[in-house]
Amino acid sequence: MRELIEAALAAGRYGEARSAAEAMWRAQPNGAVANYVLECAARWRETLPCRPWRVYFLRSFTVEPMVPLLRAGGALVGLELTVGVGPLGAYMQEVLEGESGLYRFRPDTVIVAVQTRDIAPQLWEDGVPGAGLAAVVAEVLGHFTALVERLRSDSPADLILHALEEPVHPSWGVLDGQRPDGQAAAVQEINQGLRRLVSRWPGVYLLGYDRLVANYGRLQWHDERKWLLVRLPMRAECQPVMVNEWLRYLVPLAGRGVKVVVTDLDNTLWGGVLGEDGPEGIQVGIEHPGAHYRALQQTLVDFARRGILLAVCSKNDEPEALAAMDSHPGMLLRSSAFAATRINWTDKSQNLREIAGELNVGLDALAFLDDSPVECERVRRELPEVTVIELPREPAAYAATVRRHPGFERLALSQEDEARGELYRVQKERVTAQRQFGTVEEFYESLRQEVVMALVDPAHEQRVAQLTQKTNQFNLTGRRYSEAEIHELARREGARVFEVSVRDRFGDNGIVGVIVFRYTAGVGVIETMLMSCRVIGRTVETAMMALLVRFGRQLSLQWIEGWFVPTAKNGPARDFYANHQFAQVEAGEAGTRWRLPVESCSLACPRWIRASLAKDGNDGESIAS
Amino acid sequence: MMGNRSRLELGPLEQGPLERFDQDDWRALTDRVRQIAADIFAVPLDGLTAESSPESIASWDSLNHLSLVLALEQEWSIQFSPEEMEELLSIAKIVSVVAEKSLER
């Protein structure tokens, strides 16, 4: 790798050198590689745009070993960082003294990295009794308020405050969750107070340190030995995680954010190659593997809400590609979501130049997403200013790879940014959903569920078989089927395989239920009925049975019968027949047999569910015929 | 970095763990440690020998020592105790402690 980087640097191919250095950094983000990256960056900085930026740490723990990591990470995203570090634990004095190192350094950004265990040891180890706790919360918030007020009046620097971390082991143990003097609750209260504090001041931002630690894994984060020895609280491998989080703030603050994301189509926005697999063959949707591509689309939707423009650059025939984007049922992003499109067989670098021109931004404001290493390499060589994000081989990792890049972060949104997305609408709905519900019916109503039961689509036979294989809880008989068996049953006289899909206000849950039904003159038998645990406890099963009764009436069946076969895990389905007007007619070794009179039963779909029996928009009649 | 044999094939049990290292393993490990140390201390690779220590390398101060320890921990997914951290005061010593700890994993 080093030889490759040296050769690229020697030949003046700086974009290529930087991307190789980036790959090396991604593989081994440690202090040694950081120093090497910085050495290389000193050579490419003349050619590749790098924004100088000064960062000063006010801190209660050791950050020094992370400084080269931060500078190297910055160099790879277009920042030339100069970093100053204040004396350990003396953050308040530094802020209050007019002539301290802090003010002499003239930082662009100040990071206040203070830990719970330092500023509020009572909330980390020794819990304080109830009455004292409010005083601790008030005192800590008072500290931060004084610090922010003073810094804002004496320095033009932006401020990043680390929010506090919840204790790993609260003094009360699990009881911490209930007690009025719970330590975790007190930390949350402080963090709420910090939220209010930062919202009152422009240029002050809160870094969710607790979430960062939790996302990584609280128990994996801490290194008590290094804490005691050198006041370094986290393990070596967590340092790049911390550094990347700082960069997510510094990049937008320094104005190095990406303004336009240019994405490929084949094997990027969808799985497969449109030109080879055809519009029906490409994969995007809510099931595996299409869900991974949809997750990337969701990522781009989120970026668009932040005011980042989307563009397409793909080697395809334009009419077909646009048609696929606009008509494929699994696509989140339609062609109208893109501010510029270049779907042609021209070189991508040329297309990127045109897109930058059309949208009136510099090349350094573009990020380019592509799954092809060849295309990525070409763009890196020809347009080193462009941020190239080469997607990993595994589509499941696409979205996380893109989201991790600090260039897509925004610290504030203009009204114009916000108007671009539907952020507000969605956000409002989520908040309402979190509200307490008076009754369980109110909750069901609020879900606005739509249940569709249809004959299994040939494309879904695999998913249906898979559901029979892995659904254990709500499964009346526990019978498993292969894809071939489902395929055969779906075509057999006197048998029906139903797939049940559920939509609710939050989106599509996909296929979550299956009924395998057989019938002869007068009697229908439920051979299998199951429901994924995704939708247990939402009365979907009642809707399914009501639809099955409707189907039974179309066939003029007299009885619907079914077995309940107890297994180790299907307790949740045990009372299903009894609760749905079935009468037990037999109890054998295998289980119990139940029967429902089709004509006279009063089984109805719950009023909070819209249920329909259909196949591709046809009405129920065609299923029975 | 330890050859491409699986652990199960590495010699009989009565041998000490380090004896399972062959010449190539040692060389690969030593090269890797030297490269990391050269980067951390910002010295040329060929300026580092097995005997190099804080006495002979001017930039081997306490902060860079901490950075070195962290880089080694990350590279081999190991963690040093405070006592071990204080022992890692020459390239040769680092190589042997890293070898021992990476085999313990």
Side-chain angles (χ1 to χ4, degrees):
Chain A
M1 192 59 113
R2 288 189 193 227
E3 292 81 59
L4 204 144
I5 295 172
E6 295 299 335
L9 283 172
R13 297 194 309 269
Y14 295 113
E16 208 185 320
R18 186 179 55 187
S19 80
E22 198 185 329
M24 190 170 162
W25 171 247
R26 262 202 315 271
Q28 299 166 310
N30 62 43
V33 173
N35 283 351
Y36 179 66
V37 168
L38 289 168
E39 223 175 86
C40 299
R43 293 168 68 185
W44 74 53
R45 60 186 289 253
E46 296 298 320
T47 334
L48 300 177
C50 248
R51 170 78 53 93
W53 202 253
R54 299 174 71 78
V55 181
Y56 195 83
F57 280 95
L58 295 174
R59 47 63 184 265
S60 73
F61 59 91
T62 299
V63 299
E64 286 86 339
M66 287 185 270
V67 169
L69 277 67
L70 180 62
R71 295 185 59 230
L76 293 169
V77 291
L79 291 185
E80 189 183 333
L81 297 175
T82 307
V83 180
V85 179
L88 190 81
Y91 46 93
M92 209 59 201
Q93 296 90 307
E94 279 227 275
V95 172
L96 297 177
E97 281 170 21
E99 275 304 292
S100 65
L102 162 67
Y103 298 108
R104 284 198 305 273
F105 186 80
R106 301 196 163 277
D108 296 302
T109 301
V110 174
I111 299 179
V112 183
V114 174
Q115 299 183 101
T116 309
R117 69 196 315 171
D118 300 315
I119 196 167
Q122 306 94 325
L123 302 182
W124 189 256
E125 275 156 353
D126 21 302
V128 288
L133 203 77
V136 171
V137 171
E139 190 193 354
V140 170
L141 283 173
H143 254 80
F144 276 115
T145 306
L147 186 144
V148 169
E149 281 174 357
R150 186 61 184 264
L151 263 172
R152 285 280 62 174
S153 69
D154 292 4
S155 162
D158 292 305
L159 209 56
I160 302 170
L161 291 183
H162 277 213
L164 295 193
E165 181 190 1
E166 292 182 25
V168 184
H169 302 294
S171 297
W172 289 110
V174 294
L175 198 54
D176 190 77
Q178 286 125 277
R179 290 191 57 101
D181 56 350
Q183 290 170 306
V187 169
Q188 286 159 12
E189 207 179 321
I190 291 173
N191 287 342
Q192 281 303 326
L194 291 176
R195 258 171 198 278
R196 288 191 296 272
L197 177 63
V198 302
S199 70
R200 285 203 300 273
W201 294 92
V204 185
Y205 309 99
L206 197 61
L207 184 149
Y209 188 75
D210 190 70
R211 188 188 54 227
L212 182 72
V213 174
N215 282 358
Y216 189 84
R218 213 176 284 286
L219 294 174
Q220 266 60 54
W221 182 267
H222 293 277
D223 182 341
E224 283 305 303
R225 294 189 293 194
K226 281 203 188 55
W227 168 249
L228 294 172
L229 196 67
V230 291
R231 286 292 181 252
L232 182 65
M234 73 274 271
R235 292 190 189 177
E237 60 266 34
C238 304
Q239 301 195 20
V241 180
M242 184 74 252
V243 160
N244 194 53
E245 194 69 10
W246 286 329
L247 286 172
R248 294 160 80 106
Y249 290 76
L250 296 174
V251 166
L253 284 175
R256 295 291 295 149
V258 169
K259 296 198 184 101
V260 183
V261 194
V262 187
T263 176
D264 178 35
L265 294 175
D266 289 334
N267 284 318
T268 299
L269 279 201
W270 55 62
V273 176
L274 181 62
E276 291 169 12
D277 303 317
E280 280 85 37
I282 58 171
Q283 289 163 322
V284 56
I286 55 175
E287 306 291 352
H288 173 86
H292 305 310
Y293 302 95
R294 198 170 153 111
L296 180 62
Q297 295 195 17
Q298 181 62 53
T299 305
L300 299 183
V301 168
D302 289 351
F303 290 174
R305 284 180 186 144
R306 297 176 199 170
I308 296 169
L309 295 173
L310 310 182
V312 169
C313 177
S314 164
K315 289 187 173 165
N316 257 308
D317 285 325
E318 188 167 22
E320 282 89 75
L322 291 177
M325 290 166 82
D326 288 333
S327 61
H328 195 288
M331 291 284 290
L332 275 181
L333 288 168
R334 301 298 182 189
S335 59
S336 60
F338 297 92
T341 48
R342 288 293 181 281
I343 303 173
N344 52 41
W345 301 91
T346 313
D347 170 52
K348 291 207 175 183
S349 302
Q350 178 55 31
N351 281 325
L352 287 172
R353 270 195 212 99
E354 287 182 21
I355 288 171
E358 184 179 330
L359 301 176
N360 203 18
V361 298
L363 280 167
D364 61 346
L366 296 190
F368 172 65
L369 307 187
D370 206 304
D371 63 300
S372 156
V374 179
E375 297 288 0
C376 288
E377 194 52 36
R378 253 185 106 164
V379 172
R380 279 185 206 115
R381 270 178 198 238
E382 286 168 39
L383 306 174
E385 305 93 327
V386 172
T387 300
V388 175
I389 300 184
E390 185 177 326
L391 294 168
R393 213 172 302 159
E394 175 52 58
Y398 277 11
T401 302
V402 175
R403 284 186 192 272
R404 199 161 42 227
H405 197 283
F408 302 117
E409 296 295 344
R410 292 291 183 272
L411 289 170
L413 294 181
S414 67
Q415 283 185 333
E416 192 196 13
D417 291 333
E418 292 181 17
R420 280 195 191 121
E422 290 177 304
L423 180 68
Y424 271 164
R425 191 182 57 76
V426 176
Q427 202 69 352
K428 240 193 248 160
E429 280 189 7
R430 296 239 161 90
V431 172
T432 323
Q434 285 160 4
R435 207 183 52 196
Q436 292 281 325
F437 289 97
T439 64
V440 68
E441 280 81 4
E442 272 179 57
F443 169 68
Y444 293 148
E445 301 265 22
S446 77
L447 289 173
R448 295 204 299 274
Q449 300 183 97
E450 289 174 41
V451 173
V452 178
M453 188 156 113
L455 291 180
V456 61
D457 184 286
H460 299 154
E461 285 166 1
Q462 186 193 7
R463 164 74 182 156
V464 163
Q466 195 187 54
L467 273 172
T468 72
Q469 299 290 337
K470 65 180 193 189
T471 305
N472 296 318
Q473 294 190 35
F474 197 94
N475 190 337
L476 292 174
T477 53
R479 210 174 290 205
R480 316 295 188 190
Y481 300 81
S482 67
E483 193 184 344
E485 287 174 295
I486 293 292
H487 182 83
E488 192 272 325
L489 272 169
R491 284 156 187 76
R492 191 188 294 180
E493 187 72 50
R496 289 286 187 273
V497 179
F498 292 101
E499 57 174 39
V500 179
S501 50
V502 177
R503 279 185 68 84
D504 59 37
R505 57 189 301 203
F506 298 111
D508 200 336
N509 293 285
I511 300 169
V512 289
V514 175
I515 296 179
V516 178
F517 192 64
R518 301 215 197 207
Y519 54 91
T520 51
V523 182
V525 178
I526 300 168
E527 188 174 290
T528 283
M529 175 168 169
L530 62 83
M531 202 173 69
S532 154
C533 48
R534 274 191 232 176
V535 292
I536 283 185
R538 293 162 45 163
T539 70
V540 169
E541 66 276 29
T542 305
M544 285 169 73
M545 189 47 75
L547 290 171
L548 191 66
V549 167
R550 199 190 296 173
F551 177 66
R553 287 181 181 151
Q554 288 169 10
L555 287 177
S556 309
L557 296 178
Q558 196 182 353
W559 302 101
I560 290 178
E561 290 192 359
W563 280 88
F564 176 71
V565 181
T567 64
K569 290 185 181 154
N570 69 353
R574 191 192 314 124
D575 297 323
F576 172 76
Y577 285 128
N579 291 339
H580 289 84
Q581 305 179 12
F582 280 72
Q584 190 176 324
V585 288
E586 189 185 332
E589 243 174 43
T592 46
R593 188 159 66 94
W594 299 75
R595 197 158 74 167
L596 177 78
V598 176
E599 238 5 273
S600 63
C601 77
S602 60
L603 203 68
C605 182
R607 64 184 149 74
W608 45 79
I609 292 182
R610 270 178 48 199
S612 53
L613 187 62
K615 187 189 189 303
D616 296 338
N618 295 336
D619 60 17
E621 310 305 323
S622 61
I623 292 181
S625 62
Chain B
M1 65 285 175
M2 255 121 56
N4 45 15
R5 296 170 306 169
S6 82
R7 280 270 205 96
L8 286 175
E9 291 168 315
L10 283 175
L13 275 177
E14 54 272 21
Q15 285 186 349
L18 292 182
E19 286 153 38
R20 297 188 214 150
F21 265 53
D22 65 22
Q23 284 289 324
D24 289 346
D25 292 337
W26 280 113
R27 198 171 307 119
L29 183 62
T30 308
D31 285 351
R32 192 70 206 114
V33 168
R34 281 177 63 225
Q35 181 67 68
I36 289 172
D39 284 333
I40 294 280
F41 301 137
V43 295
L45 191 56
D46 48 23
L48 282 173
T49 65
E51 285 73 43
S52 293
S53 72
E55 274 73 53
S56 55
I57 307 292
S59 52
W60 195 327
D61 57 16
S62 59
L63 177 56
N64 278 337
H65 185 67
L66 178 58
S67 292
L68 173 69
V69 164
L70 293 167
L72 297 169
E73 289 188 334
Q74 254 177 287
E75 176 75 21
W76 281 279
S77 301
I78 52 180
Q79 280 182 283
F80 296 109
S81 70
E83 293 75 14
E84 285 165 333
M85 277 176 66
E86 285 163 20
E87 279 175 22
L88 301 173
L89 292 177
S90 74
I91 297 294
K93 184 69 187 173
I94 291 170
V95 169
S96 71
V97 175
V98 166
E100 226 170 293
K101 290 195 81 77
S102 61
L103 276 180
E104 274 169 21
R105 267 193 306 125

